[in-house]
Amino acid sequence: MFSLENRVAVVTGAASGVGLAIVRRFIAAGAQVAMFDRSDASTIAEQIGGTFHLVDVADDASVGAACDAVAELHGRIDVMVNNAGVFNTATIESSSDDDWTRQYRINTLGPLHGIKHAAQHMPAGGSIINTSSVAALMGFPGYGGYSATKSGVVALTKVAALEYGSRGIRVNCICPGSVETPMLASQGNAADEIGLVTVASATGRIVTPEEVAALVHFLASNECGSITGAVIPIEGGLTSGFTPALAEAAIVSSQRIE
Ligand SMILES: NC(=O)c1ccc[n+]([C@@H]2O[C@H](COP(=O)([O-])OP(=O)(O)OC[C@H]3O[C@@H](n4cnc5c(N)ncnc54)[C@H](O)[C@@H]3O)[C@@H](O)[C@H]2O)c1
């Protein structure tokens, strides 16, 4: 079930975290996987049976050339996972155009480049999955640039689903909450974010990369042929409302203010 046998897949941001977990899962499911990243992952690609391509997703030509190379080797691209992303925090007052532009080029233009170039080699039955974030669904103070660029991914997904639907290509996006990856570990506010998730999510814990990979695997398979244009949270219920622990903390805090 959910076999990816004979499917040709591309994963961006494949050298680390969520992307690497997706690559491992796709290979286990029988796919031939091309790993795109701006960090060298040729050794790991060789070890696990993928191929590595040095790609900057912010660069249209770089993504185009790598997609052409994959198509030349395998004849087509069946699955495109636009997963590469970067994160930075800054309040609106301290935000700079340079930082927003950098995040926009990677987080929003990156998926645009991936969709555009992979779709040129994609037959009917193809599946495109974009990695957005829970930060596109709810606001977090200091996450303005990241939220805005990930919200763009949600909008792009819906438009792409409509534009490519008649060719039999599905386009979906996932919105993970905090995931246990090097990105999260490198955040200056990682401990605060994990603490918040522990109290504010229904599951009381952060998400694992393997759980995200399982969702992407499902979306990549032919068994969900009627799912397109979907925006799927994978955040342990963080967006569902107030947990009892959060409500209690808020009440205790408000009593202190009184
Ligand atoms: N970790 C989280 O808490 C979390 C939560 C929600 C969404 N996400 C999203 O999930 C995706 C994967 O994140 P992760 O946590 O695995 O991060 P990560 O930092 O572990 O991995 C990201 C990968 O993307 C690559 N990358 C960055 N910029 C690139 C570029 N311009 N061109 C090519 N490759 C580039 C990096 O080299 C790295 O290998 C990102 O889009 C991120 O925004 C992560």
Side-chain angles (χ1 to χ4, degrees):
M1 273 195 280
F2 305 134
S3 170
L4 299 181
E5 210 68 51
N6 297 322
R7 302 273 273 177
V8 179
V10 172
V11 180
T12 74
S16 173
V18 170
L20 186 54
I22 293 168
V23 171
R24 289 184 192 281
R25 180 141 186 148
F26 276 13
I27 290 173
Q32 300 179 64
V33 183
M35 301 167 65
F36 288 9
D37 207 294
R38 66 177 175 185
S39 297
D40 183 19
S42 47
T43 307
I44 178 92
E46 208 170 305
Q47 283 166 358
I48 63 180
T51 55
F52 175 71
H53 302 254
L54 194 64
V55 174
D56 178 359
V57 298
D59 179 353
D60 190 40
S62 170
V63 179
C67 285
D68 288 350
V70 173
E72 199 170 317
L73 187 67
H74 297 290
R76 65 191 190 282
I77 297 173
D78 298 301
V79 178
M80 179 74 195
V81 183
N82 293 302
N83 165 78
V86 290
F87 169 84
N88 193 32
T89 51
T91 60
I92 288 171
E93 208 163 286
S94 65
S95 285
S96 72
D97 284 11
D98 280 353
D99 179 46
W100 275 55
T101 303
R102 184 184 72 94
Q103 292 190 73
Y104 174 69
R105 290 190 62 79
I106 297 170
N107 293 350
T108 318
L109 286 184
L112 172 69
H113 299 151
I115 293 169
K116 185 167 80 169
H117 291 293
Q120 286 176 17
H121 305 289
M122 198 168 270
S127 173
I128 298 172
I129 300 115
N130 302 317
T131 305
S132 177
S133 167
V134 72
L137 308 178
M138 60 195 295
F140 296 91
Y143 285 36
Y146 187 70
S147 288
T149 57
K150 288 296 188 179
S151 295
V153 177
V154 170
L156 174 64
T157 298
K158 292 181 180 183
V159 172
L162 297 172
E163 290 191 4
Y164 290 102
S166 61
R167 282 182 46 194
I169 294 172
R170 297 179 296 108
V171 189
N172 293 293
C173 94
I174 60 165
C175 295
S178 303
V179 190
E180 197 178 357
T181 68
M183 176 186 277
L184 179 61
S186 69
Q187 285 175 216
N189 66 344
D192 289 346
E193 189 175 304
I194 293 168
L196 174 69
V197 169
T198 306
V199 177
S201 68
T203 53
R205 63 168 177 85
I206 60 174
V207 179
T208 69
E210 290 72 26
E211 288 172 323
V212 180
L215 173 60
V216 173
H217 179 182
F218 169 65
L219 292 171
S221 74
N222 277 330
E223 275 139 300
C224 58
S226 289
I227 301 179
T228 192
V231 179
I232 305 177
I234 170 161
E235 34 58 295
L238 190 69
T239 57
S240 296
F242 295 99
T243 59
L246 190 62
E248 196 181 316
I251 290 163
V252 169
S253 167
S254 72
Q255 284 166 349
R256 273 203 214 105
I257 293 166
E258 283 166 15

